[in-house]
Amino acid sequence: MLPSAEILPPAKRGDVYRAREKGSTRILVVDGAFAHELPITPREVVDVARDGAQIFGASSMGAIRAAECRPAGVRGVGAVYRMYRMGLLDSDDPVAVATDPDRGHAAVSVALINIHAAVGRLRGLRMITPSQRAALLQSAAALYYPDRTWRLILRQAGVNDPDGALRRVCAAVDIKRADALSAVRLLASLPDPAESDSTFRALDRGPRYFSHDPLLGYDRRRLDDDLPRFIAGSGRYRKYVRWLVADEPEFHGIAAKDCPTSPRDPLVEKALARVFRSRRGIACSVMDKVASFGQFETEVMLWHAVLRLKADRISHGVEVSPGHERQVRDGVAQRHGYRTWESLTSDLRDGRLPSGIPFDWVEEACVSLVHARA
């Protein structure tokens, strides 16, 4: 459909700049790296759009950046873009998938947004009951994005599929692919863009603000105490789980990237309980991984934002509804590997989760998040 297009791997930080600097006048962003590479930023997309390139986004990271950068002239395409534009989606989790670089970055997990659509189709075809629909969605939401496969989702939801009929219907539903194809068809229908100077030139990337204080005014001792409490209690530690347990005996000889990520996996839970045997041990282990992945400033900024929002909501007397509180608590429980808040609280052992995380840390994070998101 676009025989002259240059097809590149999922975009990482600086790739859009480089494409423009090499002469590209029309750029379509579909997928983006985000787990182990820095993602492209809105600023990067806006800079290139203002430099004169036509920027389109669809399907995944492209849809997110197109929704964010629409005022700068970036054009979004497809259902996923519209959902982000309308605020129906507000994080990258619905579109996140694990990919295999050795197979052209083919997806090896299922995007949550496709799962919702596929489960809806199953219900429309009367292949599942309303209770099975709810169980499937809860099962998918509780899984970390690389672990979302139809086989595992069906099994954890207790939905039998002996002849594979459900999986065949689900596999045929791919909103992200449909959106990507729509974007490609749109580009194919447009007149060729103006010729660009193909010689390399450095793009003026504009002034940058570099934080003069990465601690945001906090005392380092306080950060070392309070930040890991929030990361562990809120469930954000889950993205570091593979590396937290990689050196434990249960995973001897297995590369960290191949370790499971669910805190409820029996082997992971056992290994975490050993790593998290004390509160100080949790803090040290979590902060070590945060630092090793270069995420310290990111985690500090998020924690700071939550505290500021919480204080603002309280000072303005914003009331928290029971439904809102339930939604936030269930979300935290799901990041810890549980379907609901009740299932999390029923699994406590001497005031701790089986993984070793103190329940008062979880409760503390929930209180902050409930107010911050009110």
Side-chain angles (χ1 to χ4, degrees):
M1 296 168 69
L2 289 173
S4 62
E6 180 182 4
I7 312 300
L8 300 172
K12 60 182 182 297
R13 183 78 53 88
D15 282 354
V16 176
Y17 279 133
R18 282 184 282 273
R20 179 59 175 165
E21 289 169 342
K22 292 180 180 178
S24 294
T25 55
R26 181 176 289 162
I27 300 168
L28 167 62
V29 180
V30 177
D31 291 313
F34 67 96
H36 309 305
E37 299 276 2
L38 292 174
I40 55 172
T41 63
R43 176 57 184 269
E44 181 176 349
V45 174
V46 169
D47 279 349
V48 174
R50 288 179 173 169
D51 193 59
Q54 296 177 341
I55 309 290
F56 297 80
S59 182
S60 192
M61 179 67 76
I64 297 174
R65 292 294 179 260
E68 294 168 334
C69 303
R70 180 174 176 269
V74 178
R75 186 169 176 181
V77 182
V80 177
Y81 161 73
R82 291 193 295 273
M83 284 186 271
Y84 278 107
R85 181 76 185 92
M86 295 169 64
L88 299 177
L89 302 177
D90 60 3
S91 73
D92 57 12
D93 186 54
V95 295
V97 294
T99 62
D100 184 355
D102 296 328
R103 293 196 294 122
H105 297 276
V108 295
S109 64
V110 186
L112 194 58
I113 196 166
N114 286 340
I115 293 169
H116 277 260
V119 171
R121 179 171 294 183
L122 290 177
R123 180 63 192 136
L125 294 172
R126 299 183 181 277
M127 298 177 72
I128 57 173
T129 64
S131 61
Q132 288 176 321
R133 174 185 178 276
L136 286 167
L137 295 179
Q138 289 179 348
S139 171
L143 290 169
Y144 190 38
Y145 77 90
D147 300 326
R148 289 174 182 149
T149 64
W150 282 116
R151 189 179 300 278
L152 184 56
I153 292 167
L154 289 163
R155 186 173 75 237
Q156 292 203 357
V159 177
N160 294 323
D161 184 28
D163 58 358
L166 298 182
R167 289 199 300 276
R168 285 192 292 274
V169 171
C170 292
V173 178
D174 195 339
I175 294 176
K176 290 179 61 176
R177 176 179 173 81
D179 281 4
L181 287 171
S182 294
V184 171
R185 291 190 186 100
L186 173 63
L187 265 64
S189 71
L190 297 176
D192 291 338
E195 290 295 325
S196 175
D197 181 4
S198 60
T199 60
F200 178 87
R201 62 183 183 81
L203 181 67
D204 180 7
R205 304 186 180 190
R208 287 291 183 272
Y209 170 74
F210 294 99
S211 173
H212 63 283
D213 180 13
L215 304 185
L216 299 180
Y218 292 104
D219 177 78
R220 180 60 195 244
R221 181 174 296 179
R222 181 188 175 186
L223 283 177
D224 286 342
D225 289 338
D226 291 355
L227 184 59
R229 289 170 66 100
F230 176 74
I231 295 172
S234 66
R236 283 187 60 80
Y237 79 98
R238 185 165 178 168
K239 65 181 180 177
Y240 307 110
V241 161
R242 288 176 173 163
W243 292 271
L244 286 166
V245 303
D247 294 331
E248 295 303 302
E250 291 84 354
F251 302 101
H252 179 71
I254 301 176
K257 66 181 181 65
D258 296 324
C259 293
T261 59
S262 172
R264 299 299 312 287
D265 180 285
L267 293 180
V268 171
E269 195 171 73
K270 182 178 179 181
L272 281 175
R274 192 181 304 114
V275 175
F276 290 170
R277 57 183 171 270
S278 69
R279 294 181 181 231
R280 191 61 193 158
I282 301 174
C284 291
S285 299
V286 168
M287 293 298 280
D288 176 67
K289 298 309 174 189
V290 167
S292 66
F293 282 98
Q295 293 296 296
F296 177 75
E297 289 191 43
T298 299
E299 297 290 358
V300 171
M301 183 65 75
L302 176 65
W303 175 70
H304 170 72
V306 168
L307 294 186
R308 287 288 299 273
L309 285 168
K310 174 186 175 183
D312 178 74
R313 301 301 192 271
I314 292 175
S315 68
H316 286 84
V318 175
E319 295 185 3
V320 176
S321 69
H324 170 73
E325 183 173 7
R326 173 61 183 263
Q327 182 182 27
V328 172
R329 288 182 180 275
D330 281 348
V332 169
Q334 288 163 9
R335 284 192 289 277
H336 284 283
Y338 295 87
R339 289 187 179 181
T340 64
W341 178 252
E342 286 76 14
S343 60
L344 181 149
T345 55
S346 66
D347 202 28
L348 297 176
R349 305 169 188 177
D350 296 325
R352 290 173 173 261
L353 296 178
S355 61
I357 294 178
F359 177 66
D360 59 305
W361 289 16
V362 180
E363 179 68 21
E364 180 182 290
C366 282
V367 170
S368 295
L369 290 169
V370 164
H371 283 92
R373 295 177 179 176

